[in-house]
Amino acid sequence: MATFFGEVVVAPSRAGLDEEEEAREETPEDREIRREIEKKRYRQRGEIKEREIQVLWSCAEESLVCSRFIVAIGRNAAAFLSSFILDSVCWEVIGVVKLWNEWCRTSSTTNVLPTDSFCLFYRLISDPTVLLCQCSCYVAEDQQFQWLEKVFGSMQKKGLQVTILSTCPVADYKTQESTLTLVSPFLKALKTKEFQEQVCCPLLEQPNIVRDLPAA
């Protein structure tokens, strides 16, 4: 339970259950739905079937030392990073995420190049512990746990501060005011209880929530 509204909490999830437990609880209807989803998710390329998320790094470290990790999720957030942060020679591409789903098909190449993926990782040249991620592709609901597990599994988490940037339509913002009178775009924040620094903007009010990969 959250100690205050606006705190990020971890909700119970079936995503991390082992296969035996998941199979034990599945009904025939669940299995049929899962089979249909898998049929859509698979892509036949010769004899290779791709559905798993792959994270490829150009650096040789087994575990990346990271103090700050900024993740921009969605096209608008990714474009913001490109325009105001990445528009310099101070960053280098160090990794990509390869995935395939109903709305996103990334390249099958194993090279770490900006043209090969819609999800890129950058490292600040002057401070290699600062990483950015531009995730402009759609990550399906059943792929989000795998995305998190593989991306954060490559990083040392001690002392790590994670900042998520994402956007949503003003029409989805819940307020007593008319959304027609709101000055947009505007910025709101959520934070965990571990975050002790000053927040740069007002906290998100009830009953608004964050969904999908930013919430995960």
Side-chain angles (χ1 to χ4, degrees):
M1 177 179 291
T3 56
F4 62 91
F5 181 79
E7 178 184 359
V8 178
V9 295
V10 179
S13 172
R14 289 173 52 87
L17 295 179
D18 59 67
E19 293 181 0
E20 290 184 2
E21 184 175 355
E22 189 175 48
R24 212 168 35 240
E25 295 182 3
E26 274 189 336
T27 65
E29 291 80 7
D30 292 334
R31 287 192 292 271
E32 181 62 26
I33 292 172
R34 181 166 54 83
R35 280 195 295 267
E36 290 302 318
I37 292 176
E38 288 178 350
K39 287 178 184 177
K40 292 181 179 180
R41 184 63 42 76
Y42 276 95
R43 176 177 58 176
Q44 188 75 31
R45 181 179 293 175
E47 295 183 354
I48 300 174
K49 292 181 179 179
E50 300 177 349
R51 71 181 179 91
E52 291 190 0
I53 290 177
Q54 291 181 300
V55 180
L56 306 175
W57 302 97
S58 62
C59 45
E61 297 96 329
E62 292 185 1
S63 182
L64 294 170
V65 178
C66 185
S67 61
R68 291 179 180 268
F69 184 38
I70 302 173
V71 186
I73 299 174
R75 292 183 178 179
N76 291 333
F80 176 83
L81 277 191
S82 294
S83 299
F84 296 99
I85 299 179
L86 291 171
D87 190 19
S88 68
V89 294
C90 301
W91 302 88
E92 60 178 346
V93 178
I94 62 165
V96 298
V97 172
K98 307 286 187 181
L99 58 86
W100 183 91
N101 55 48
E102 294 79 4
W103 299 100
C104 176
R105 301 184 183 188
T106 59
S107 169
S108 62
T109 180
T110 56
N111 295 327
V112 180
L113 296 173
T115 56
D116 293 335
S117 175
F118 299 103
C119 189
L120 299 171
F121 298 95
Y122 297 84
R123 179 164 57 188
L124 185 62
I125 296 176
S126 60
D127 184 356
T129 67
V130 178
L131 301 182
L132 298 181
C133 175
Q134 276 186 308
C135 184
S136 59
C137 61
Y138 171 72
V139 180
E141 185 174 320
D142 61 329
Q143 293 178 314
Q144 292 169 10
F145 176 78
Q146 187 183 166
W147 193 98
L148 294 168
E149 187 178 47
K150 292 195 174 184
V151 170
F152 285 95
S154 305
M155 300 179 185
Q156 294 183 10
K157 302 172 191 62
K158 185 176 181 180
L160 173 61
Q161 183 183 107
V162 181
T163 301
I164 310 295
L165 303 175
S166 66
T167 60
C168 68
V170 175
D172 292 344
Y173 180 63
K174 297 176 177 62
T175 177
Q176 293 181 349
E177 303 177 41
S178 170
T179 55
L180 297 176
T181 62
L182 290 173
V183 179
S184 59
F186 56 87
L187 190 64
K188 300 286 183 175
L190 293 174
K191 68 183 185 71
T192 62
K193 60 184 178 181
E194 286 80 12
F195 186 81
Q196 301 299 324
E197 299 180 19
Q198 184 176 358
V199 181
C200 64
C201 61
L203 294 177
L204 187 66
E205 308 92 344
Q206 299 186 44
N208 294 285
I209 61 173
V210 175
R211 298 180 174 87
D212 301 321
L213 187 59

